[in-house]
Amino acid sequence: MDVAGSQREAREQATLLSAFVGSATVWLLIATAIGVLLSFKFPFPDLATSPYLSFGRLRAIHTNGTFYAFASVALSGMAIYVAARSSGAAVFAKPVAWVSLALFNLAAILGTITLDLGMSDGSQEYREWLWWVRVIFLIGAICSAYVVAGTIANRVERPIYIANWYTLGAFTFTTILWIVALIPTYQIGLGGVTLQAFYMHNAVGMWFTFLALGVTYYALPKLLNRPIYSYSLGVLAFWTNLVFYPIIGSHHYEFSPLPWWLQTLAIVFSVGMLIPVFAGSANLILTTRGRWEIVRRSYALPFLAAGVVYYFVGSTQGTFEALRTAQAYWHFTSFTVGHSHATMYGFITLITFGAVYALLPLATGQQPSILLTGVHFWFALLGVTLYVVVLSVGGTIQGIDWASGNPFISSVEAAAPFWLARALGGSMMFVSHLLFAYNVYVMVAAKRTAFEPKAQAA
Amino acid sequence: MNRPMDRLWVLMTASFVIYALLAIVMGVIPGIVLSDTKPTPGLSPLSASAARGRDVYVSEGCSYCHTQQVRPLAQDLVFGRPSTRGDYAYSTPQLLGTERTGPDLTNIGKRQPSAVWNYIHLYEPRSLVSASIMPAYPWLFSVKAHADPGDVTVPVPPGYAPANTVVVAGSNAIDLVAYLQSLKQPQLGSAK
């Protein structure tokens, strides 16, 4: 490629990445504003009593919005960018990438509106969107997969960089998962339960985990300016996660009428998950060894480091949570909601923030203010940590309360102060998102002026 | 320059095949087997009204806070007997739920058979249970000056509905309560 051509390619990559991240950020604000409203409905149940603002409808809008409209879009955009940068190739089939972004947003808009009108495909977590809305999203994901795979096919070096293993895997697994979850014939009665167990767990661990680890495997070594600690550990974690994870979904239905062997198998492989989790998190943490001064001074690395720690803590927690003794107390309590925020926020979202701060300035040449990024970091980290800690304690109290045979309402009264504290943690997280949105604006909007000289320097 | 498509295809094909096999073994096959479960003897399909009520239950997201599975654990027996596979033969989409912010509803038709209690509770839960944090569902009802013939009027305690009005259950409330009343566990092992 000549100089003009590579400058145009760099500009187009910057525009594409900015569009994915910008769109994701708008949805982050919408979905987490809804999350804050939901958290205040626990202490104030008569707050905003309206069908369109009711808990039962907004909860699915919050979860699907954060999962699909925010995290999936931001991480898909970054997966495309990482594929191009790590392959030394131009982004393949850019119009298809734009179609992908449009379809993701179309699905998110239609999904949000239909859920708010009370139209859902059953209250089955993370696939409440009507089936045809999920088909739109799936086609969007396949478009992104096509772009990522096509870009990697044009790489200049023979080995495929480990980051791309993870992102390619994420798109492959999710395509299969969504198709399997769409077909209704084997989802009658309990058949639907076993599919739901498979789907809800894999939608997190075979999609978000792989995408987030993929962009981390690119961003972390890039920022530290050193290679990843061990390529082999990354490959070990890839294959073990692929084989173990699909088996463990039934641990969401322990003590249910699902076959007992299916539940036991899920528990055994939940313990097996310690292998990819330890291998993956150790690999990333060891990459930062001796470079903590760089981590401390960077504005992106603290997010990535905290995200990796949360990956380790949240996933290990998940293993122990899966043991039957623990489930007898914690299942159905707010502890589970704490766990899902430790993983989907502490891990996935902090990694997403860190990767945006790492990659977007690289693309646009424009950096956000260190101060605002630092405030964003501490509000997000302290907010989610408060959230997880109070729900873990409150959930444990709920579980003990049920086991002591008290009337049900006493568990509601006992958990109330913890739900109030959760609303505080959630509000801190939301404030941090306002700062993030401003930082994204700075990184994206100023690119026209700052772009040219910095791109040449790079 | 050599275009190394080979490795890309190997990686993508290997991950596709492995995951597709796992999806079939862990998702599709158990799904096929369990979809064929025979109903528990004594369990009947939902009436037309209860089936519409189940749709309202799904629309309003009731199962985000209410489970429909009784575990074989001492603390769950207050809600009924442990659930069995056949109990879910007519439950599509499944509503087992994953959180119990409110009580389990597997057997609520037996535990709380009163339609009047359910109407008042849906209109404003705190008029019956002061510490309840359940949302109120006033949009399932209408508030009128006078009841018309055929109206299902709801005796909401004073102070919880506008003064000098009557609260009337809408068709969605009537269907939803019909569904709640239909949630009854058949007895197991009763000799024929």
Side-chain angles (χ1 to χ4, degrees):
Chain A
M1 228 185 287
D2 57 17
V3 175
S6 63
Q7 278 199 356
R8 189 176 62 244
E9 172 63 26
R11 194 179 300 116
E12 286 174 2
Q13 284 182 11
T15 310
L16 194 62
L17 182 64
S18 301
F20 271 79
V21 171
S23 147
T25 306
V26 171
W27 281 105
L28 174 72
L29 292 180
I30 296 170
T32 56
I34 290 169
V36 172
L37 172 62
L38 291 174
S39 71
F40 278 100
K41 280 175 177 270
F42 281 73
F44 307 107
D46 284 316
L47 175 73
T49 295
S50 148
Y52 310 109
L53 295 174
S54 66
F55 186 90
R57 297 187 191 184
L58 289 185
R59 186 196 195 264
I61 292 177
H62 167 69
T63 53
N64 287 279
T66 49
F67 275 42
Y68 302 123
F70 160 62
S72 298
V73 172
L75 288 167
S76 295
M78 290 194 284
I80 293 171
Y81 185 74
V82 164
R85 296 289 296 217
S86 63
S87 303
V91 171
F92 175 75
K94 286 191 195 74
V96 180
W98 286 103
V99 169
S100 170
L101 180 61
L103 290 175
F104 282 151
N105 275 288
L106 180 66
I109 291 167
L110 293 173
T112 302
I113 292 172
T114 48
L115 283 178
D116 209 35
L117 295 174
M119 297 154 77
S120 91
D121 262 7
S123 308
Q124 311 199 76
E125 283 170 316
Y126 322 141
R127 50 176 183 146
E128 290 97 335
W129 283 353
L130 296 173
W131 70 267
W132 49 269
V133 175
R134 283 181 284 144
V135 168
I136 296 173
F137 188 89
L138 173 62
I139 298 171
I142 292 173
C143 288
S144 272
Y146 178 73
V147 174
V148 169
T151 305
I152 294 166
N154 289 329
R155 69 195 180 280
V156 292
E157 287 179 17
R158 187 171 161 80
I160 298 173
Y161 183 59
I162 189 74
N164 298 323
W165 283 53
Y166 278 85
T167 56
L168 276 173
F171 286 110
T172 309
F173 310 142
T174 302
T175 303
I176 298 172
L177 176 68
W178 278 52
I179 292 170
V180 165
L182 275 166
I183 299 168
T185 47
Y186 41 73
Q187 304 196 40
I188 297 160
L190 266 194
V193 178
T194 195
L195 254 297
Q196 174 59 15
F198 182 73
Y199 175 83
M200 74 181 292
H201 206 68
N202 282 240
V204 175
M206 302 304 285
W207 175 235
F208 295 110
T209 300
F210 275 80
L211 282 179
L213 290 178
V215 298
T216 308
Y217 272 115
Y218 179 78
L220 195 67
K222 183 92 188 162
L223 291 171
L224 289 166
N225 199 21
R226 64 154 39 153
I228 201 78
Y229 175 75
S230 160
Y231 200 85
S232 313
L233 273 179
V235 173
L236 170 76
F238 177 89
W239 291 115
T240 45
N241 200 27
L242 165 55
V243 174
F244 295 172
Y245 206 90
I247 301 176
I248 68 182
S250 299
H251 72 202
H252 287 272
Y253 288 98
E254 282 180 32
F255 300 108
S256 79
L258 284 186
W260 200 253
W261 66 265
L262 202 63
Q263 300 179 31
T264 306
L265 194 67
I267 297 168
V268 170
F269 280 91
S270 300
V271 178
M273 276 306 293
L274 292 176
I275 295 171
V277 168
F278 284 26
S281 46
N283 199 14
L284 294 168
I285 287 172
L286 284 170
T287 304
T288 66
R289 73 197 184 285
R291 300 273 169 105
W292 278 96
E293 193 53 27
I294 301 180
V295 175
R296 203 173 65 77
R297 285 164 186 274
S298 156
Y299 48 89
L301 280 167
F303 285 96
L304 294 177
V308 171
V309 171
Y310 255 113
Y311 172 52
F312 175 78
V313 172
S315 305
T316 308
Q317 179 198 38
T319 292
F320 287 100
E321 210 177 336
L323 302 175
R324 283 204 174 95
T325 321
Q327 276 291 284
Y329 284 93
W330 279 334
H331 194 26
F332 299 143
T333 70
S334 291
F335 190 94
T336 317
V337 184
H339 171 69
S340 66
H341 284 77
T343 48
M344 271 306 294
Y345 195 95
F347 167 35
I348 302 293
T349 305
L350 290 186
I351 292 278
T352 304
F353 291 150
V356 167
Y357 285 132
L359 302 182
L360 199 52
L362 208 60
T364 65
Q366 188 63 28
Q367 313 222 344
S369 107
I370 284 267
L371 178 68
L372 284 186
T373 315
V375 180
H376 170 204
F377 174 74
W378 286 110
F379 266 73
L381 182 66
L382 294 178
V384 69
T385 304
L386 175 65
Y387 190 115
V388 172
V389 168
V390 296
L391 282 194
S392 301
V393 176
T396 307
I397 290 173
Q398 272 180 299
I400 292 173
D401 202 85
W402 294 341
S404 357
N406 294 332
F408 189 87
I409 197 70
S410 84
S411 72
V412 175
E413 290 169 314
F418 299 94
W419 286 331
L420 185 63
R422 178 262 299 271
L424 180 67
S427 303
M428 287 173 69
M429 289 147 79
F430 181 70
V431 168
S432 88
H433 302 161
L434 295 172
L435 300 172
F436 174 69
Y438 178 74
N439 286 340
V440 168
Y441 169 76
V442 167
M443 288 184 279
V444 168
K447 81 171 187 256
R448 302 268 179 262
T449 51
F451 176 73
E452 301 296 344
K454 301 219 173 171
Q456 277 168 353
Chain B
M1 189 182 63
N2 156 30
R3 278 284 164 81
M5 283 298 284
D6 49 347
R7 290 200 180 188
L8 183 60
W9 281 116
V10 169
L11 178 62
M12 290 194 71
T13 312
S15 23
F16 184 92
V17 169
I18 292 173
Y19 190 70
L21 281 174
L22 283 163
I24 290 168
V25 172
M26 298 311 300
V28 175
I29 291 176
I32 291 171
V33 172
L34 291 169
S35 288
D36 199 29
T37 308
K38 296 276 170 292
T40 307
L43 186 74
S44 29
L46 296 179
S47 70
S49 170
R52 288 194 301 271
R54 195 174 193 277
D55 292 341
V56 177
Y57 189 96
V58 169
S59 273
E60 301 297 353
C62 303
S63 73
Y64 292 118
C65 294
H66 296 285
T67 53
Q68 288 190 28
Q69 56 171 316
V70 182
R71 301 173 295 173
L73 295 174
Q75 66 253 41
D76 273 32
L77 298 181
V78 62
F79 299 121
R81 63 157 171 81
S83 301
T84 64
R85 290 187 204 173
D87 295 349
Y88 298 99
Y90 302 118
S91 185
T92 308
Q94 58 91 11
L95 295 171
L96 269 70
T98 54
E99 264 190 274
R100 209 175 256 172
T101 307
D104 183 272
L105 299 181
T106 306
N107 203 29
I108 194 65
K110 279 186 187 160
R111 296 199 300 116
Q112 182 48 270
S114 161
V116 173
W117 188 93
N118 275 308
Y119 286 130
I120 301 172
H121 189 248
L122 283 168
Y123 183 78
E124 176 48 277
R126 277 153 293 287
S127 68
L128 295 175
V129 185
S130 60
S132 169
I133 63 163
M134 186 173 119
Y137 293 89
W139 58 91
L140 302 177
F141 300 83
S142 52
V143 177
K144 299 177 170 182
H146 307 283
D148 292 313
D151 276 355
V152 178
T153 58
V154 181
V156 177
Y160 289 96
N164 302 318
T165 57
V166 285
V167 174
V168 174
S171 61
N172 279 347
I174 292 168
D175 291 337
L176 180 57
V177 170
Y179 173 61
L180 293 175
Q181 290 184 311
S182 80
L183 292 173
K184 294 174 183 165
Q185 289 184 313
Q187 295 243 294
L188 289 184
S190 48
K192 283 225 161 171

PDB file of all heavy atoms in Angstrom, chain A residues 264-282:
ATOM      1  N   THR A 264     -24.582 -32.899  37.983  1.00  0.00           N
ATOM      2  CA  THR A 264     -23.295 -33.307  38.565  1.00  0.00           C
ATOM      3  C   THR A 264     -22.159 -33.064  37.576  1.00  0.00           C
ATOM      4  O   THR A 264     -21.096 -32.555  37.932  1.00  0.00           O
ATOM      5  CB  THR A 264     -23.347 -34.792  38.975  1.00  0.00           C
ATOM      6  OG1 THR A 264     -24.461 -34.975  39.832  1.00  0.00           O
ATOM      7  CG2 THR A 264     -22.082 -35.209  39.689  1.00  0.00           C
ATOM      8  N   LEU A 265     -22.413 -33.420  36.304  1.00  0.00           N
ATOM      9  CA  LEU A 265     -21.407 -33.190  35.264  1.00  0.00           C
ATOM     10  C   LEU A 265     -21.058 -31.705  35.198  1.00  0.00           C
ATOM     11  O   LEU A 265     -19.884 -31.325  35.090  1.00  0.00           O
ATOM     12  CB  LEU A 265     -21.979 -33.673  33.921  1.00  0.00           C
ATOM     13  CG  LEU A 265     -21.020 -33.832  32.756  1.00  0.00           C
ATOM     14  CD1 LEU A 265     -20.054 -34.976  33.047  1.00  0.00           C
ATOM     15  CD2 LEU A 265     -21.799 -34.131  31.475  1.00  0.00           C
ATOM     16  N   ALA A 266     -22.089 -30.861  35.299  1.00  0.00           N
ATOM     17  CA  ALA A 266     -21.867 -29.415  35.245  1.00  0.00           C
ATOM     18  C   ALA A 266     -20.990 -28.966  36.412  1.00  0.00           C
ATOM     19  O   ALA A 266     -20.118 -28.105  36.248  1.00  0.00           O
ATOM     20  CB  ALA A 266     -23.209 -28.680  35.271  1.00  0.00           C
ATOM     21  N   ILE A 267     -21.203 -29.542  37.591  1.00  0.00           N
ATOM     22  CA  ILE A 267     -20.411 -29.145  38.763  1.00  0.00           C
ATOM     23  C   ILE A 267     -18.955 -29.587  38.579  1.00  0.00           C
ATOM     24  O   ILE A 267     -18.021 -28.825  38.835  1.00  0.00           O
ATOM     25  CB  ILE A 267     -21.026 -29.747  40.043  1.00  0.00           C
ATOM     26  CG1 ILE A 267     -22.439 -29.179  40.253  1.00  0.00           C
ATOM     27  CG2 ILE A 267     -20.148 -29.454  41.250  1.00  0.00           C
ATOM     28  CD1 ILE A 267     -23.241 -29.914  41.299  1.00  0.00           C
ATOM     29  N   VAL A 268     -18.774 -30.825  38.078  1.00  0.00           N
ATOM     30  CA  VAL A 268     -17.413 -31.338  37.895  1.00  0.00           C
ATOM     31  C   VAL A 268     -16.633 -30.436  36.932  1.00  0.00           C
ATOM     32  O   VAL A 268     -15.497 -30.030  37.205  1.00  0.00           O
ATOM     33  CB  VAL A 268     -17.458 -32.794  37.368  1.00  0.00           C
ATOM     34  CG1 VAL A 268     -16.067 -33.253  36.942  1.00  0.00           C
ATOM     35  CG2 VAL A 268     -18.038 -33.716  38.423  1.00  0.00           C
ATOM     36  N   PHE A 269     -17.276 -30.073  35.809  1.00  0.00           N
ATOM     37  CA  PHE A 269     -16.554 -29.255  34.834  1.00  0.00           C
ATOM     38  C   PHE A 269     -16.455 -27.792  35.269  1.00  0.00           C
ATOM     39  O   PHE A 269     -15.585 -27.066  34.798  1.00  0.00           O
ATOM     40  CB  PHE A 269     -17.154 -29.415  33.437  1.00  0.00           C
ATOM     41  CG  PHE A 269     -16.686 -30.662  32.761  1.00  0.00           C
ATOM     42  CD1 PHE A 269     -17.388 -31.847  32.884  1.00  0.00           C
ATOM     43  CD2 PHE A 269     -15.496 -30.666  32.046  1.00  0.00           C
ATOM     44  CE1 PHE A 269     -16.933 -33.009  32.297  1.00  0.00           C
ATOM     45  CE2 PHE A 269     -15.034 -31.821  31.440  1.00  0.00           C
ATOM     46  CZ  PHE A 269     -15.760 -33.009  31.570  1.00  0.00           C
ATOM     47  N   SER A 270     -17.338 -27.367  36.189  1.00  0.00           N
ATOM     48  CA  SER A 270     -17.169 -26.027  36.765  1.00  0.00           C
ATOM     49  C   SER A 270     -15.855 -25.962  37.520  1.00  0.00           C
ATOM     50  O   SER A 270     -15.174 -24.938  37.531  1.00  0.00           O
ATOM     51  CB  SER A 270     -18.322 -25.698  37.719  1.00  0.00           C
ATOM     52  OG  SER A 270     -19.545 -25.733  37.026  1.00  0.00           O
ATOM     53  N   VAL A 271     -15.495 -27.074  38.183  1.00  0.00           N
ATOM     54  CA  VAL A 271     -14.190 -27.136  38.846  1.00  0.00           C
ATOM     55  C   VAL A 271     -13.088 -27.170  37.789  1.00  0.00           C
ATOM     56  O   VAL A 271     -12.061 -26.495  37.922  1.00  0.00           O
ATOM     57  CB  VAL A 271     -14.113 -28.354  39.790  1.00  0.00           C
ATOM     58  CG1 VAL A 271     -12.735 -28.449  40.437  1.00  0.00           C
ATOM     59  CG2 VAL A 271     -15.198 -28.261  40.866  1.00  0.00           C
ATOM     60  N   GLY A 272     -13.328 -27.917  36.708  1.00  0.00           N
ATOM     61  CA  GLY A 272     -12.360 -27.966  35.615  1.00  0.00           C
ATOM     62  C   GLY A 272     -12.078 -26.596  35.014  1.00  0.00           C
ATOM     63  O   GLY A 272     -10.977 -26.333  34.521  1.00  0.00           O
ATOM     64  N   MET A 273     -13.058 -25.694  35.103  1.00  0.00           N
ATOM     65  CA  MET A 273     -12.887 -24.337  34.554  1.00  0.00           C
ATOM     66  C   MET A 273     -11.770 -23.573  35.239  1.00  0.00           C
ATOM     67  O   MET A 273     -11.298 -22.556  34.731  1.00  0.00           O
ATOM     68  CB  MET A 273     -14.196 -23.550  34.664  1.00  0.00           C
ATOM     69  CG  MET A 273     -15.175 -23.789  33.521  1.00  0.00           C
ATOM     70  SD  MET A 273     -14.439 -23.515  31.914  1.00  0.00           S
ATOM     71  CE  MET A 273     -14.157 -21.741  31.958  1.00  0.00           C
ATOM     72  N   LEU A 274     -11.346 -24.058  36.420  1.00  0.00           N
ATOM     73  CA  LEU A 274     -10.211 -23.390  37.075  1.00  0.00           C
ATOM     74  C   LEU A 274      -8.976 -23.427  36.177  1.00  0.00           C
ATOM     75  O   LEU A 274      -8.136 -22.528  36.241  1.00  0.00           O
ATOM     76  CB  LEU A 274      -9.913 -24.064  38.419  1.00  0.00           C
ATOM     77  CG  LEU A 274     -10.984 -23.882  39.508  1.00  0.00           C
ATOM     78  CD1 LEU A 274     -10.621 -24.670  40.759  1.00  0.00           C
ATOM     79  CD2 LEU A 274     -11.161 -22.398  39.859  1.00  0.00           C
ATOM     80  N   ILE A 275      -8.866 -24.441  35.311  1.00  0.00           N
ATOM     81  CA  ILE A 275      -7.668 -24.551  34.452  1.00  0.00           C
ATOM     82  C   ILE A 275      -7.602 -23.373  33.467  1.00  0.00           C
ATOM     83  O   ILE A 275      -6.638 -22.606  33.497  1.00  0.00           O
ATOM     84  CB  ILE A 275      -7.635 -25.910  33.718  1.00  0.00           C
ATOM     85  CG1 ILE A 275      -7.489 -27.038  34.743  1.00  0.00           C
ATOM     86  CG2 ILE A 275      -6.510 -25.952  32.697  1.00  0.00           C
ATOM     87  CD1 ILE A 275      -7.667 -28.430  34.152  1.00  0.00           C
ATOM     88  N   PRO A 276      -8.628 -23.166  32.597  1.00  0.00           N
ATOM     89  CA  PRO A 276      -8.508 -22.011  31.701  1.00  0.00           C
ATOM     90  C   PRO A 276      -8.484 -20.675  32.449  1.00  0.00           C
ATOM     91  O   PRO A 276      -7.806 -19.740  32.003  1.00  0.00           O
ATOM     92  CB  PRO A 276      -9.749 -22.117  30.809  1.00  0.00           C
ATOM     93  CG  PRO A 276     -10.664 -23.060  31.475  1.00  0.00           C
ATOM     94  CD  PRO A 276      -9.812 -23.993  32.282  1.00  0.00           C
ATOM     95  N   VAL A 277      -9.203 -20.585  33.558  1.00  0.00           N
ATOM     96  CA  VAL A 277      -9.238 -19.308  34.277  1.00  0.00           C
ATOM     97  C   VAL A 277      -7.865 -18.987  34.869  1.00  0.00           C
ATOM     98  O   VAL A 277      -7.349 -17.874  34.717  1.00  0.00           O
ATOM     99  CB  VAL A 277     -10.326 -19.340  35.376  1.00  0.00           C
ATOM    100  CG1 VAL A 277     -10.171 -18.161  36.310  1.00  0.00           C
ATOM    101  CG2 VAL A 277     -11.713 -19.346  34.744  1.00  0.00           C
ATOM    102  N   PHE A 278      -7.258 -19.972  35.518  1.00  0.00           N
ATOM    103  CA  PHE A 278      -5.931 -19.727  36.103  1.00  0.00           C
ATOM    104  C   PHE A 278      -4.910 -19.498  34.998  1.00  0.00           C
ATOM    105  O   PHE A 278      -4.067 -18.609  35.090  1.00  0.00           O
ATOM    106  CB  PHE A 278      -5.501 -20.914  36.986  1.00  0.00           C
ATOM    107  CG  PHE A 278      -6.183 -20.949  38.323  1.00  0.00           C
ATOM    108  CD1 PHE A 278      -7.425 -20.367  38.519  1.00  0.00           C
ATOM    109  CD2 PHE A 278      -5.580 -21.567  39.415  1.00  0.00           C
ATOM    110  CE1 PHE A 278      -8.061 -20.411  39.758  1.00  0.00           C
ATOM    111  CE2 PHE A 278      -6.205 -21.610  40.667  1.00  0.00           C
ATOM    112  CZ  PHE A 278      -7.449 -21.027  40.823  1.00  0.00           C
ATOM    113  N   ALA A 279      -4.962 -20.313  33.928  1.00  0.00           N
ATOM    114  CA  ALA A 279      -3.984 -20.172  32.847  1.00  0.00           C
ATOM    115  C   ALA A 279      -4.120 -18.800  32.189  1.00  0.00           C
ATOM    116  O   ALA A 279      -3.126 -18.099  31.970  1.00  0.00           O
ATOM    117  CB  ALA A 279      -4.188 -21.276  31.813  1.00  0.00           C
ATOM    118  N   GLY A 280      -5.374 -18.395  31.911  1.00  0.00           N
ATOM    119  CA  GLY A 280      -5.600 -17.125  31.218  1.00  0.00           C
ATOM    120  C   GLY A 280      -5.241 -15.936  32.078  1.00  0.00           C
ATOM    121  O   GLY A 280      -4.512 -15.035  31.637  1.00  0.00           O
ATOM    122  N   SER A 281      -5.712 -15.926  33.326  1.00  0.00           N
ATOM    123  CA  SER A 281      -5.449 -14.735  34.140  1.00  0.00           C
ATOM    124  C   SER A 281      -3.981 -14.670  34.532  1.00  0.00           C
ATOM    125  O   SER A 281      -3.386 -13.585  34.554  1.00  0.00           O
ATOM    126  CB  SER A 281      -6.377 -14.693  35.360  1.00  0.00           C
ATOM    127  OG  SER A 281      -6.431 -15.928  35.998  1.00  0.00           O
ATOM    128  N   ALA A 282      -3.355 -15.842  34.820  1.00  0.00           N
ATOM    129  CA  ALA A 282      -1.928 -15.823  35.163  1.00  0.00           C
ATOM    130  C   ALA A 282      -1.118 -15.319  33.973  1.00  0.00           C
ATOM    131  O   ALA A 282      -0.194 -14.509  34.131  1.00  0.00           O
ATOM    132  CB  ALA A 282      -1.469 -17.221  35.561  1.00  0.00           C
TER     133      ALA A 282
END
